[in-house]
Amino acid sequence: MGVRELVVVHAGFGAAAVPYEEGWELQRRTHALRVDDAIPDTVLLMEHRPVYTAGKRTALADRPLGDPGAPVVNVDRGGKITWHGPGQLTGYPIVRLTDPRDVVGYVRLLERMMMDVCAELGLATVTVEGRSGVWVPGAPDRKIGSIGIRVARGVAMHGFMLNCDNDLGWFDKIVPCGIRDAGSTNLSRELGRDVTVAEVVPRVERHLAAVLGADGTLHRTTAQLEALRGAQPAAAAITL
């Protein structure tokens, strides 16, 4: 067997931040390729333009009142409502889960990855029983990384977000993840310095590959992924 590598696609950052609907469509196309075994496990990394996404369990009381200044999009992942936007790294691992499918175990791996990234940057974080994601303990606990996934035909999509240097005021307009007795934070606030998405990206790539059991990463562009649409799985696997 050859070396197993995690394919990494940088879909857009900064001025090229990705509108949520475009990122969601890219997820769906990539998911279809992975279901057909046309590509190996792949993670899409990006920043989004400001948007609120409401998962299947979002309550009406958790949604923003009036005009929040960004669209609210209903999505097919688990979890409740959250915000995506500039200064936040969003990652969508499109990966095949091994049988028997342990979805909770997969969520724990994503949590471990974000905790390892925070630790490397000098911030200790924890998980909280009964609440997914990564937290900075305190009074109240402050959420720094969130997870919401969907598994279809054995392949996961949606994924994680890690707050870097984003405007935390966006979270004040909703009840993030439906949790009322906790706050939101980011790496910059906790570490007392500007921690950019660009600084965090390579660390996320390395630690995500590690928790998924990959031996390394292989960078590809969105154009290279798009070129595989319609290709036969055997040929696609070679040309990637």
Side-chain angles (χ1 to χ4, degrees):
M1 295 178 61
V3 174
R4 178 175 180 261
E5 292 178 304
L6 175 68
V7 173
V8 177
V9 176
H10 291 181
F13 301 102
V18 181
Y20 186 81
E21 291 83 351
E22 291 183 16
W24 195 6
E25 180 58 30
L26 177 60
Q27 278 196 76
R28 287 190 285 254
R29 295 195 298 266
T30 307
H31 183 272
L33 290 170
R34 186 66 188 97
V35 166
D36 290 340
D37 283 327
I39 59 173
D41 288 344
T42 298
V43 59
L44 309 172
L45 296 178
M46 65 192 76
E47 283 176 274
H48 281 302
R49 297 179 187 174
V51 64
Y52 293 98
T53 62
K56 295 179 179 180
R57 297 190 298 111
T58 300
L60 182 61
D62 298 335
R63 293 175 177 266
L65 296 174
D67 181 6
V72 180
V73 179
N74 296 319
V75 295
D76 60 352
R77 60 163 171 78
K80 298 189 177 184
I81 194 167
T82 192
W83 173 86
H84 299 290
Q88 179 193 83
L89 176 59
T90 301
Y92 301 120
I94 313 298
V95 302
R96 185 177 297 283
L97 302 188
T98 57
D99 288 324
R101 294 171 193 157
D102 182 1
V103 176
V104 173
Y106 173 63
V107 170
R108 298 288 92 83
L109 290 179
L110 296 183
E111 290 172 340
R112 180 75 262 164
M113 176 273 294
M114 288 193 285
M115 293 177 70
D116 289 344
V117 169
C118 291
E120 183 176 325
L121 290 165
L123 177 64
T125 56
V126 298
T127 56
V128 176
E129 187 173 354
R131 295 178 171 179
S132 68
V134 174
W135 300 79
V136 179
D141 293 337
R142 304 176 298 283
K143 196 169 194 178
I144 197 167
S146 298
I147 296 170
I149 66 168
R150 177 175 181 246
V151 179
R153 299 178 66 186
V155 175
M157 60 185 297
H158 296 289
F160 63 89
M161 64 183 202
L162 184 59
N163 295 330
C164 301
D165 60 352
N166 51 304
D167 178 357
L168 294 169
W170 289 100
F171 291 108
D172 295 337
K173 303 177 182 181
I174 59 173
V175 181
C177 305
I179 299 172
R180 298 179 180 276
D181 60 345
S184 299
T185 193
N186 60 31
L187 286 163
S188 296
R189 173 174 288 187
E190 297 298 330
L191 292 173
R193 66 176 182 86
D194 190 26
V195 181
T196 65
V197 169
E199 181 178 352
V200 173
V201 163
R203 291 170 169 83
V204 163
E205 292 177 5
R206 179 160 35 82
H207 287 292
L208 182 62
V211 298
L212 293 178
D215 293 308
T217 56
L218 179 67
H219 286 81
R220 290 292 181 257
T221 66
T222 52
Q224 288 172 313
L225 278 183
E226 294 296 336
L228 299 178
R229 294 180 66 194
Q232 293 297 317
I238 294 172
T239 56
L240 182 64

